[in-house]
Amino acid sequence: MKNLIRYALSKDGVAVLRKGSGQHAIFTQGIMDDFFDVTKRKMEVTDLNLDIANMMLSRWKRLGMDSKALGYRLRWFIERNSIAAQLGWTTADDFSSITIVRTTDWRQSRSNVPTPDLRAVKKSSAAKAGMPLIDYFETHYRPARLVGKSPRTATLYRQVIAAFAKYLGRAPLVADLNPKTVPDWLQWLLDNTELAAATVEKDRTHICALWTFAAKKGWLAEFPDIRPIPCPERVPDAWTDDELLRLFRACQSARGRIGKVKANQYWPALLSVIYDTGERIGAVLEIRRDDIDAQGWLTVRGEHRKGKTRDKRFKLRPETIERVEAIRVFAQERVFEWPYSDGYLWTKFGKILEAAGLPNNRRSKLHKIRRTTASNFEAAGGNATALLDHQHRRTTKRYLDPRVVKETQPADILPGIGELAKAILDGNENNDRMVSEFRAFLEAKQARNQSDRN
């Protein structure tokens, strides 16, 4: 990187030696220092790419950096990458997908709902009803209702409040939690966005929780009475053996580093641990070195698992242990240290999916490996409900791919169209067997339904 500072781009876009580099060196050193704060390693020439630029710009945005300063830093990445590519030190990358400034003002882009009339609110509650919703959340709701919950839960509430603000065209107030504004917002989301019904239902539950708490305090006159939004239940899907192999090979071919670890070692180890355990990514990222004993048993701590109820222990394969050992870093307690933002994890894994020629959508991310493990475990005779630590079998069913667990299908046992009649006419000796199998199928289905109801 030090040699790269000596070069600049001419007006023709050609890399040339610069006459002086004092101020530019100071600016570059600032970027490199910020990169070190995030990754705990020095920046290399190969880090001058779209992914790293996106990661750093997201960090600077969160720190409140203005658009002008962000533009300078983006231009630095573009110029450094172009120079390094011309010198043969790295490959050229396309940064055109990065946008610094919003093309539209969210305060003018939606419904611009007027501020509610607080004169209709009781005088004793007017001050609370006129409080900004985000302030109400931080000072009243969160301390009372989210004690012991993960930081992610609070983040979800803040995201819902931000989405509500974009619809209103202004910062929402507690008084905006009313039977007119909230249902209109939810219907608007369903009619005018590409959000899944399940996502809008999640927003409904969060906003109604805030509303109910305020109503119980007496700050609002009415309680929410909004029916749950119908959400279609998707058929569980798991990776096939071929798809899983392609995914693993793409992990082994990943470029760059994750913190101090090579990406082509980090991703295979992460994939292997999730596949061996069926655990959620949040719990896996919290695994520490001392959670794996000398016999290859991994203990996932209850405080990091969903519900925070109990520890769970898993036997890791020898090859998984080897991959985990290959990413051991001195003085790093966590096995899978992720030094970037949470959202960047899905961006990076999405690139691996694309490299493997697999779909890059919400249902194809790391949770699909959990469904794959559950489906294969059930098909091999195991109890997926116990493996996934579910309280109810109906929850587990949402994880089991019917193609993998080999559920009996009508095409497997029913006579084809006309086959039964033909067998009767022909006096086929197998007719009784076909009828018996059909009757057994119906009885088994009735028994399963009865079991589910119980």
Side-chain angles (χ1 to χ4, degrees):
M1 288 296 294
K2 289 184 178 180
N3 291 332
L4 198 60
I5 300 175
R6 300 169 52 208
Y7 291 86
L9 283 180
S10 67
K11 294 181 179 180
D12 299 328
V14 179
V16 295
L17 285 170
R18 65 169 70 245
K19 294 181 180 179
S21 59
Q23 193 65 32
H24 183 77
I26 295 174
F27 183 75
T28 297
Q29 188 60 49
I31 292 177
M32 294 173 67
D33 289 344
D34 287 347
F35 178 84
F36 183 84
D37 288 342
V38 175
T39 63
K40 307 306 179 187
R41 66 177 178 83
K42 293 182 179 180
M43 179 179 279
E44 301 175 0
V45 175
T46 53
D47 293 318
L48 300 170
N49 57 60
L50 175 65
D51 287 341
I52 298 297
N54 257 323
M55 178 193 71
M56 295 305 299
L57 287 168
S58 296
R59 171 183 169 83
W60 289 321
K61 284 181 182 178
R62 291 195 302 274
L63 294 175
M65 189 173 290
D66 60 46
S67 58
K68 186 176 181 180
L70 292 171
Y72 285 142
R73 281 158 175 75
L74 174 59
R75 188 157 61 248
W76 181 88
F77 270 100
I78 295 173
E79 291 179 354
R80 295 303 96 190
N81 174 261
S82 178
I83 292 170
Q86 291 184 40
L87 297 174
W89 296 348
T90 189
T91 56
D93 212 341
D94 180 12
F95 296 83
S96 60
S97 61
I98 299 179
T99 56
I100 298 298
V101 184
R102 296 179 187 270
T103 56
T104 58
D105 184 352
W106 66 267
R107 292 169 294 184
Q108 304 296 328
S109 61
R110 295 196 174 172
S111 296
N112 296 309
V113 178
T115 303
D117 185 1
L118 297 180
R119 290 176 298 180
V121 182
K122 292 189 301 184
K123 290 183 179 181
S124 59
S125 302
K128 299 297 185 183
M131 180 187 299
L133 191 58
I134 186 64
D135 293 346
Y136 155 74
F137 168 74
E138 297 292 355
T139 60
H140 295 278
Y141 186 86
R142 186 184 181 191
R145 306 297 295 173
L146 301 186
V147 175
K149 299 290 185 180
S150 71
R152 174 64 178 163
T153 302
T155 299
L156 290 175
Y157 275 93
R158 296 189 190 102
Q159 290 173 349
V160 170
I161 294 172
F164 195 30
K166 291 180 181 180
Y167 167 77
L168 297 175
R170 57 176 172 78
L173 307 178
V174 173
D176 284 307
L177 303 176
N178 60 66
K180 169 63 176 170
T181 306
V182 173
D184 284 352
W185 168 55
L186 296 173
Q187 191 63 54
W188 188 93
L189 291 176
L190 291 170
D191 295 342
N192 298 280
T193 70
E194 296 181 357
L195 294 175
T199 301
V200 181
E201 168 60 13
K202 173 188 67 67
D203 290 349
R204 186 197 69 83
T205 58
H206 282 80
I207 208 75
C208 285
L210 295 171
W211 185 351
T212 300
F213 186 74
K216 286 181 177 179
K217 291 286 187 180
W219 301 341
L220 296 174
E222 298 182 77
F223 282 80
D225 186 20
I226 306 173
R227 293 178 63 83
I229 296 168
C231 301
E233 189 171 313
R234 304 301 178 192
V235 177
D237 57 334
W239 294 120
T240 65
D241 289 343
D242 176 65
E243 290 170 335
L244 203 57
L245 181 59
R246 286 158 55 192
L247 178 59
F248 189 77
R249 288 173 175 169
C251 289
Q252 292 177 313
S253 302
R255 297 170 54 192
R257 290 178 175 272
I258 306 297
K260 298 180 180 180
V261 178
K262 291 182 178 179
N264 61 5
Q265 294 179 320
Y266 184 97
W267 291 110
L270 182 66
L271 186 74
S272 297
V273 170
I274 297 176
Y275 184 74
D276 281 4
T277 63
E279 270 294 333
R280 297 174 178 85
I281 180 60
V284 172
L285 290 179
E286 295 293 339
I287 295 171
R288 298 179 180 273
R289 287 287 170 183
D290 55 8
D291 291 332
I292 304 175
D293 65 21
Q295 287 73 43
W297 284 89
L298 164 66
T299 301
V300 182
R301 302 297 174 184
E303 54 267 32
H304 304 310
R305 304 180 68 242
K306 187 174 181 179
K308 300 183 179 182
T309 54
R310 62 181 74 81
D311 294 351
K312 194 143 178 41
R313 187 163 288 167
F314 303 93
K315 176 71 173 180
L316 299 180
R317 305 167 198 269
E319 53 266 36
T320 299
I321 296 294
E322 291 178 6
R323 290 164 190 150
V324 168
E325 285 300 312
I327 62 172
R328 181 183 288 275
V329 175
F330 177 72
Q332 181 173 297
E333 292 185 5
R334 285 192 180 90
V335 175
F336 300 104
E337 195 70 50
W338 183 258
Y340 316 121
S341 66
D342 293 343
Y344 193 57
L345 175 70
W346 311 118
T347 300
K348 291 295 290 182
F349 188 68
K351 297 290 185 183
I352 291 175
L353 289 171
E354 292 172 0
L358 299 172
N360 179 14
N361 53 49
R362 291 186 64 182
R363 288 192 60 81
S364 298
K365 295 300 172 66
L366 291 166
H367 210 66
K368 189 167 182 175
I369 303 174
R370 179 171 162 86
R371 294 198 297 273
T372 302
T373 297
S375 298
N376 288 331
F377 188 71
E378 184 83 9
N383 184 345
T385 302
L387 172 69
L388 301 180
D389 208 12
H390 289 155
Q391 292 185 346
H392 303 288
R393 180 66 180 179
R394 61 177 177 270
T395 304
T396 309
K397 284 189 173 183
R398 294 199 289 266
Y399 285 75
L400 303 180
D401 189 330
R403 300 169 300 180
V404 178
V405 298
K406 306 298 183 184
E407 289 183 355
T408 303
Q409 299 294 315
D412 295 329
I413 63 172
L414 296 186
I417 297 174
E419 288 184 2
L420 184 57
K422 184 176 183 297
I424 294 174
L425 292 174
D426 294 345
N428 193 323
E429 61 182 9
N430 292 326
N431 179 47
D432 291 340
R433 178 184 59 81
M434 296 171 67
V435 173
S436 298
E437 289 181 351
F438 186 34
R439 183 179 293 111
F441 165 74
L442 294 176
E443 291 174 352
K445 181 179 180 182
Q446 183 179 7
R448 285 198 300 272
N449 292 339
Q450 183 64 34
S451 176
D452 292 341
R453 285 194 293 269
N454 294 336

